[in-house]
Amino acid sequence: MQLALLVGTAAVASALWLDYSPIYLHDSEIQFGLHARSIAFTAHDTNGRFLPVYFQMPAIGDNVWFQPLLVYWTAPWLRILPFSEYTVRLPSVAIGAIDIALMYAVVLRMFDEHRLAMWGAAFIALTPAHFIHSRVAMDYLHPVPFILAWLWCLVDFLRTGHDGRLSAGAFILGVGVYSYIAAIVMMPIFLATTCICLVLARQFTVGRAARMMIAFALPLTVALLWLRQHPQVIANTFYRYKVTSGLFLNTFGSVRQFVDYRVILQSLSTYWSYFNPAYLFFSGGSNLTNSTRMAGVFLLPFAVLLAAGIRRAWATRTDPRSSLALIGFLVAPLAAILVVERYAIDRSLGTVPFGALLGVFGLAHLRDSHDRRAHAAIPIVLAAMALQFSYFYREYMTTYRASAAAAFNSNVRGVAESFIAHATPQRRFFFSRSIPYAQQYWRFALAKAGHDELDARAVTVDASAIDLDRIPSGSLVAAAVDDMAVNKAADRSTLRRLEQVAEPLPLESRYAIYLRE
Amino acid sequence: MMQPIRGLAVGAAIAVVAGYVYAAGLDRDPVHPEERRVEAAARLFETGGWRDARGTRFPVFIAVDDEWLAPVPTYGTAAIEKTVGSNALPSRRLAALAGTASVALLYGLALELFDNLALSTIAALVFALDPAQFLSSRHATSDGIWTIPFVLLWLIALTKYMRTRSPRMLSVATAVLAGAVYAQPSAPLLVCVLTMVTAIVISRASANVRGDLGTVCLTGGAVVAPLVVWFVLHPQSYAGTFGAWLLHPAHIRNPLAWARSVSSWFNLTVWVELYWDFFDPTHLFANDTAPILVGVFLLPVGVLIVIGVIDLCRHVSEATPDAARFSVVLVTALLCPIVVAAFKEPRAVDRALPIVPLGALFAARGVRVLWAARAATPRVVAVVLLVAAVGQFLLFYRRETALQISPRFANRAMSRGAEFRVANQLRHIMSESFGESEIDMISQTLEANEKSYQRARNGKISVLASAGDDGAVLFRRAPQARTTQTPVGESSTTNCRSRVEAIVR
């Protein structure tokens, strides 16, 4: 009952004003949403592929293929609910709620205490990074339920010795590979973590390891079969990550680069940055789509619990459950360092469940301490967490909207909606390339408004490369306000500025609509 | 207790060797503008009868070119100049002297902590051969070597106080620590932080806390009294000295504004980020931007330090005198980078140099741990690590003395950059475009660019690519400074420039 109340409250808090903050849909959300809608109604993606295992995102780049889980998870929702910003994001809220319930189950299995399990669930619910990612239709959060389900299986095995749990955990990790690109790296690492825990528990046998490997590989056969038909996906993905010149390049590059100490040192430095308290407790991810920059990955008072938890887990490291929490927390950022990117919480959300778990260790440590000050610290820390979360929530629903507007490509939605409002039977629509992903936002707005037929009348153009004088009279042109080519045409009176697409105060308009006279 | 004469002889020998290494070829590197300022002030003292440019006799802070210099390096340089003349880079000689004295003091501190000649010798050698110590002892920049002797003397006196509870030792510790405020710009903040350490030590070790705290206040007050008198007589100097280094005048007038500024979320974030970043292993132990990968410490020394710190953490709960004294050393070492964070300069080791000798102490503790093991392997590991450290230093020394441009300047320029991550990206581009052997320098930000441009004009380096006044600039050493030179084609230069511009934007 208490759990239902907690999960329900967290879900409602996450589901409130989903289309209000973050202020706009990110281009990735738009494309995920369009794919999911297409799958829901036609069983084909927007590129015309029948139930693909990986989704190509040509608007981002021909070599960009996204993991499928988010699309297939969202599709049933969109089959039932009307297509909108809200409903596209709603499935992520459900993922967040599942995480909270799973966290409860994991802690309960680990500590056998309802109260601690409730706090564990509360910790993950009160984690800013978790909250933020459960409100966007992006796949960053999707590995987390798989990690938690695997954790439950492993902890249950450590308690009961039931072999089926290990295989189930490995199978879940295998399925989790489809959740997010970083999971391709992280899930095998968690599989290895399982083996380490088995060794620590003196329960490792070759037979168990083999069964786990088979269970892990089983879900991957689907991808292998599909990739045989579409081998370009592997080449494209390697090429894409090769560009970022991290350890990934090192691993798959030449032998000389493999031993390139510079790359290794850069990766080490990046790894170090993932434990920077400024990142963990003050500012969070470096990208405004993943952070408000006014709260860390975790709340600041949680640092006390995390520190106490690390101490407790280290002191009891011979217990495989303690080692599991510690190792999980330490390995969680590994996927992010492969591309040598600092503070990318989106790539390392595995930190969140392990951090919350260590927080529970910390709470238990303070509670069991003989020091009165430790006892006194508990209510203070928990109250401070509640206080900071309410401040963060207010910030998220107010200031963050404007501060993150540019990170969400500003008001392209407003451009598309303005076009729809000005649509007449003969009117044509031109998007300048100065508006990012305009065609995708346009299609999303059309689908939402039920005017898919207008799509054929819109085209994206390079305003500096075409003669704007030759586009049909009465057409509408949308461009960034600083688009030189369009501004020149406006100066020549070829185009008349119809309106500037409003941004939230105090931001100035970034896009404008022009009418071809 | 070991034989005092033998201990003294070993300490003197190490100091002599260190002094020779530090003082050899001091004129090799170009003179830094800060060194020029110190020497100009010292020369003024000599010609003007200990008056600064404003005509003040025996000034506490010395005015030069609208800047204020700390008294320790300036008066020290003047004293050296009187002895050896102005042509012999007296400011650098003073730095070398301070470096040598630091090695001797560290040896003394190690003797106090370990009560073991071999371990003290190892600590002193590790410190003497430290790259940051070596470079700081050869350059008289405004922030640098100057605080180390003060901090080491303070630690010697404080640890003696912990052992003996002698108020006299406490007075010495306080006096020395307070004296450090005259050493360099970053010192006042460091002194504030270390005063708190002193107070905590008193609260834990003293039998007469009130009396000892009174001693601290009286002694410290007496030492900083000239400073107070100076600011009363010359209030205009405050803004350029303590106002810039410690507490802004506006914050004295409005403490609430100071509290708000200090506790602002943004400031806290930056401080915490810079503080943590200082301890980045690639900065402390294996800096890929420096020659032979040297960081603040040599890489093998880093291993020993980690072993030493882990050993202390394992024994810290045992209330032994050894654990207590090493805990003070560890806390001091951990607190030093607070200054770096407060000055908001990423990885500015010159502002936190006392961490270097303290690291050497933990390296020696690491050796002690390995040596105490029953098995032979840890002992072999200890020997191998020490030999490897010497080897890395020799390679570094050879590379350092072979270069016309000190990599230290490159590192400083790098560390002083407002956006050091950009520099990392630039470095990577350079390595892609020119290959490692072609790269000598990378610099960014206007301040760094000015210095580098100056050297470029002097023909020491040539500009490869530039991305505007406040953007990034790539440099490489001038052709005459190399024996073999591979010409860099125009196309690659252009390519590099465009990529640099792209990144900076």
Side-chain angles (χ1 to χ4, degrees), chain A residues 115-180:
Chain A
R115 190 175 285 184
L116 279 182
M118 284 299 291
W119 278 117
F123 289 159
I124 204 166
L126 291 176
T127 300
H130 187 266
F131 176 82
I132 288 170
H133 286 92
S134 61
R135 286 177 61 91
V136 288
M138 296 195 236
D139 52 1
Y140 306 129
L141 191 66
H142 283 239
V144 177
F146 292 94
I147 294 170
L148 284 166
W150 157 75
L151 260 177
W152 187 89
C153 290
L154 183 53
V155 173
D156 192 65
F157 168 80
L158 292 171
R159 286 189 60 151
T160 63
H162 193 302
D163 270 335
R165 294 283 185 266
L166 278 183
S167 303
F171 182 81
I172 287 165
L173 289 179
V175 177
V177 168
Y178 296 103
S179 59
Y180 173 53

Side-chain angles (χ1 to χ4, degrees), chain A residues 20 24 50 76 102 107 112 175 208 245 267 285 301 419 461 481 497:
Chain A
Y20 179 76
Y24 309 120
F50 177 70
L102 282 172
V107 179
D112 230 355
V175 177
R208 275 186 180 139
S245 73
S267 300
F419 271 12
V461 295
V481 290
R497 185 175 282 190

Side-chain angles (χ1 to χ4, degrees), chain A residues 245 261-262 265-266 268-269 272 275-278 281-283 294 342-343 388, chain B residues 265 268-269 272-273 276-277 279-282 286 288 293 347 421 427-428 436:
Chain A
S245 73
Y261 64 89
R262 282 166 197 259
L265 288 178
Q266 280 169 20
L268 177 62
S269 181
W272 182 257
F275 300 98
N276 192 325
F281 306 113
F282 285 89
S283 62
M294 294 302 286
R342 286 167 182 251
Y343 309 132
Q388 197 198 347
Chain B
W265 194 259
L268 288 174
T269 306
V272 172
E273 181 174 5
W276 183 264
D277 184 64
F279 291 101
D280 187 327
T282 63
D288 65 329
L293 281 182
R347 304 185 177 190
R421 286 178 201 145
R427 198 179 58 249
H428 185 74
E436 187 192 349

Side-chain angles (χ1 to χ4, degrees), chain A residues 423-429 457 472-475:
Chain A
T424 56
Q426 300 302 321
R427 178 162 274 166
R428 294 195 63 192
F429 307 102
R457 283 201 256 151
S473 180
S475 298

Side-chain angles (χ1 to χ4, degrees), chain B residues 259-306:
Chain B
R260 218 176 285 144
S261 157
V262 167
S263 61
S264 89
W265 194 259
F266 176 74
N267 266 341
L268 288 174
T269 306
V270 172
W271 288 358
V272 172
E273 181 174 5
L274 294 182
Y275 178 78
W276 183 264
D277 184 64
F278 188 88
F279 291 101
D280 187 327
T282 63
H283 171 235
L284 288 184
F285 307 123
N287 187 348
D288 65 329
T289 65
I292 323 296
L293 281 182
V294 295
V296 174
F297 300 99
L298 297 167
L299 186 55
V301 171
V303 179
L304 292 170
I305 290 174
V306 170

